[in-house]
């Protein structure tokens, strides 16, 4: 446990906060704690399969872990988010705590409302039981997971496969850079004219403020300073040119990135990744296909893919091996791989996301949001992993998590996954179409 | 008047330290109303009187090129940025007084800008280790500016100022600490304004006046001579 905590701490310090100082240590602590507990959950799953600890002690650990995580996710993190958001808005500085509580209450309210349209409530349990909380957290988490994985499933083959890479030559880049510099030069020369005009006006003692007030407006109608009209025209041209320069800059950066990727794909590592890209794309397509089938035929997988795969091989290929023995090991390996890749993928995505939108003010809030997302992601992935494991291991999870409608979750996941995959395909297709056209117009 | 001579000064620093506000303040003597994130590079022009008040007074354009982005950007963004580092005559390094890491990143910024200038093949040296020797023979004048002075409480000001003084010494540069939302800091006659004007004078001197004091004539020859002057100073 301590190991994971330390790891979470390290990760936080190194990656996320490379450029900013950490003000509040509370944020750091919370993030690391969330990370640590999420990892212990996975650890427990692995122990499940390996059968390391005693069954009852495992059960106890599960319960404990779940309680703590839920506590953090539902109570502390939103509270701190509210607190930091409020402290960013300078107006409400006085009654920080009060407003934070108000925000937190609204959050709890929405959280509750979320549970209504879904078939989750069962009359047997009380209001504040663990099952209720888990169910709601699970819903949000599953939605999130499905969105992310849908997008990732489509994005992954797109970025990895060099089939999609457009051909960029050095001459293209140079031409674009030249255009960029020319634009900058034009901006500079125009600004020089404006500056010179301002200076001469200033030296002549004229007041070149924009005329304000009623009398000023009338004055400006009758006597128009000859220089100022030209100036505003030039200023408009400058604005347009600046916009153009920004576009050119972004395009150049894009071209550089593409060229780099082309070079990278020629190296050995690049080829390896390329191959993996093909493999992944097949996997992603298969997943999308399966999701469609699941929805269309309204079927929920009872047996996990590993056992089924082994059964198929046994039946079709006539190879005799001990189903139970192999299934255990293979499922363990698969689950391990899934866990590791999903953690890694999540951390990388979060880092990129964090860099893209962070600033000094809101960094605290963003970190907390990320911690929340991460926690929900992990909880829901535990739910979904159940599907990939053979039935003898499912029992303990079913036991611990109480009576949740697992089938519902799987359906919901498939639906959202499909939706997000389709929309991201559409999006990428549009983006891909647009870029070569822009390129041709140069 | 449009045929004034020009020098190019880069304004470098991390995201969000206040480069755009600073440039706007320097060029328009007004505070920037709505600062937003700079994409790419934005240029502004300041008219400066070299050796003001002496019979050798001459007016120059100073182009302030404000380059956006962070020092840890992807290599593609870095190579795109490198386009702007051509033919530069001076560098203003901007850091945030409330954020220590932005001052530490200044070393990497200088390396990025200077290495691009020294290597005509455009190969970027990517180890960001600080090496004082690399700065020892640097001929491009540097100026260190710390922003957001108003956000530091009075009690901490001394230690922050001593730290930045060390920083400026490392770069062998002058330093100015100010607040970009208050034009009072650069009011004419204040010590900050004097330092600024001295810095610009130094930049103009290094650019147009060789060591033996000859002025380089001609406008069209300047582009060739610009790179040549710097190189000859390196090999001396």
């Amino acid at each position: 446990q301590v190991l994971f905590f330390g790891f979470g701490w390290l990760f936080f310090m190194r990656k996320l906060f490379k450029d900013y100082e950490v003000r509040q240590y509370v944020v750091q602590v919370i993030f690391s704690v969330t990370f640590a507990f999420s990892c212990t959950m996975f650890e427990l799953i692995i122990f499940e399969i390996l059968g390391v600890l005693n069954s009852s002690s495992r059960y106890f650990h599960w319960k404990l872990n779940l309680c703590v995580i839920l506590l953090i996710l539902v109570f502390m993190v939103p509270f701190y988010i509210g607190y930091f958001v409020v402290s960013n808005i300078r107006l409400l500085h006085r009654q920080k705590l009060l407003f934070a509580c108000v925000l937190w209450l609204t959050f709890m309210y929405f959280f509750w409302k979320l549970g209504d349209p879904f078939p989750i409530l069962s009359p047997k349990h009380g209001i504040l039981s663990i099952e209720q909380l888990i169910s709601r957290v699970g819903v949000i988490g599953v939605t999130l997971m499905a969105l992310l994985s849908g997008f990732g499933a489509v994005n992954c083959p797109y970025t990895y496969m060099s089939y999609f890479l457009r051909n960029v030559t050095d001459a293209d880049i140079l031409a674009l850079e030249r255009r960029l510099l020319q634009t900058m030069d034009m901006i500079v020369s125009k600004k020089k004219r404006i500056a010179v005009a301002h200076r001469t006006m200033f030296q002549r003692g004229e007041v070149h403020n924009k005329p304000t007030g009623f009398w000023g407006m009338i004055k400006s109608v009758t006597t128009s300073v000859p220089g100022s009209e030209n100036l505003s025209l030039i200023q408009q041209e400058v604005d347009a040119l600046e916009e153009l320069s920004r576009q050119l800059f972004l395009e150049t950066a894009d071209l550089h990135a593409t060229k780099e990727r082309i070079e990278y794909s020629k190296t050995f590592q690049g080829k390896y990744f390329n191959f993996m890209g093909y493999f992944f794309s097949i996997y992603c397509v298969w997943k999308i296909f399966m999701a469609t089938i699941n929805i269309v035929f309204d079927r929920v997988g009872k047996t996990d893919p590993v056992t089924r795969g082994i059964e198929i091989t046994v039946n079709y290929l006539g190879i005799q091996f001990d189903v139970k023995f192999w299934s255990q090991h293979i499922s363990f390996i698969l689950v391990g791989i899934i866990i590791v890749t999903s953690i890694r993928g999540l951390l990388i995505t979060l880092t990129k996301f964090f860099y893209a939108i962070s600033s000094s003010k809101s960094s605290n809030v963003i970190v907390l949001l990320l911690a929340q997302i991460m926690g929900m992601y992990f909880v829901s992935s535990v739910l979904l992993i159940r599907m990939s494991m053979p039935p003898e291991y499912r029992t303990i999870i079913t036991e611990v998590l109480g009576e949740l409608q697992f089938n519902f979750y799987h359906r919901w996941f498939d639906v959202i996954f499909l939706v997000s995959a389709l929309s991201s395909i559409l999006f990428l297709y549009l983006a891909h179409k647009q870029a070569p056209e822009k390129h041709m117009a140069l | 008047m449009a045929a004034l001579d020009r020098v190019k000064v880069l304004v470098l620093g991390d995201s969000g330290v206040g480069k755009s506000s600073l440039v706007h303040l320097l060029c328009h003597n007004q505070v920037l109303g709505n600062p937003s994130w700079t994409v790419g590079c934005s240029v502004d022009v300041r008219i400066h009187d070299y050796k003001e008040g002496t019979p050798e007074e001459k007016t120059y354009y100073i182009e302030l090129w404000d380059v956006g982005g962070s020092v840890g950007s992807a290599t593609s963004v870095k190579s795109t940025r490198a386009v702007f580092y051509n033919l530069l005559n001076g560098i203003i390094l901007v850091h945030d007084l409330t954020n220590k890491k932005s001052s530490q990143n200044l070393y990497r910024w200088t390396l990025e800008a200077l290495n691009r200038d020294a290597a005509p093949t455009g190969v970027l040296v990517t180890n960001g280790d600080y090496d004082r020797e690399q700065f020892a023979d640097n001929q491009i004048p540097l100026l260190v500016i710390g922003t957001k002075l108003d956000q530091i409480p009075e009690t901490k000001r001394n230690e922050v100022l001593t730290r930045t003084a060390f920083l400026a010494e490392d770069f062998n540069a002058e330093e100015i600490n100010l607040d970009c939302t208050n034009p009072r800091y650069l009011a004419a006659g204040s010590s900050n304004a004097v330092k600024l004007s001295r810095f610009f004078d130094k930049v103009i001197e290094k650019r147009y006046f060789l060591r033996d004091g000859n002025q380089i004539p001609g406008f069209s020859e300047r582009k060739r001579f610009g790179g040549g002057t710097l190189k000859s100073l390196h090999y001396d």
Side-chain angles (χ1 to χ4, degrees), chain A residues 14-25:
Chain A
R14 288 264 181 83
K15 289 287 182 62
L16 284 184
F17 262 178
K18 256 210 292 206
D19 290 334
Y20 300 107
E21 278 181 16
V22 178
R23 279 303 159 71
Q24 318 265 16
Y25 280 107

Side-chain angles (χ1 to χ4, degrees), chain B residues 113-121 231 234:
Chain B
L114 293 178
N115 282 329
R116 176 63 179 89
D117 204 40
T121 56
K231 284 211 167 59
H234 274 297

Side-chain angles (χ1 to χ4, degrees), chain A residues 260-275:
Chain A
E260 220 179 271
R261 259 171 43 204
I262 291 182
E263 279 177 17
Y264 184 67
S265 73
K266 292 196 184 122
T267 67
F268 201 57
Q269 221 180 6
K271 286 211 173 84
Y272 170 70
F273 271 121
N274 204 16
F275 178 68

Side-chain angles (χ1 to χ4, degrees), chain A residues 325-343:
Chain A
F325 178 68
W326 277 103
S327 73
Q328 179 183 359
H329 281 250
I330 294 184
S331 61
F332 164 63
I333 293 177
L334 263 182
V335 167
I337 292 181
I338 291 180
I339 290 177
V340 168
T341 45
S342 68
I343 291 184

Side-chain angles (χ1 to χ4, degrees), chain A residues 256-317:
Chain A
H256 273 283
T258 320
K259 177 166 165 237
E260 220 179 271
R261 259 171 43 204
I262 291 182
E263 279 177 17
Y264 184 67
S265 73
K266 292 196 184 122
T267 67
F268 201 57
Q269 221 180 6
K271 286 211 173 84
Y272 170 70
F273 271 121
N274 204 16
F275 178 68
M276 296 294 287
Y278 281 120
F279 188 65
F280 268 130
S281 58
I282 295 180
Y283 172 70
C284 297
V285 168
W286 180 75
K287 267 195 90 157
I288 295 181
F289 191 59
M290 289 302 289
T292 332
I293 288 189
N294 274 345
I295 294 176
V296 170
F297 290 122
D298 201 19
R299 176 181 73 89
V300 177
K302 290 285 179 194
T303 60
D304 67 306
V306 177
T307 321
R308 246 218 348 262
I310 294 183
E311 277 172 17
I312 293 180
T313 36
V314 165
N315 287 341
Y316 286 167
L317 301 181

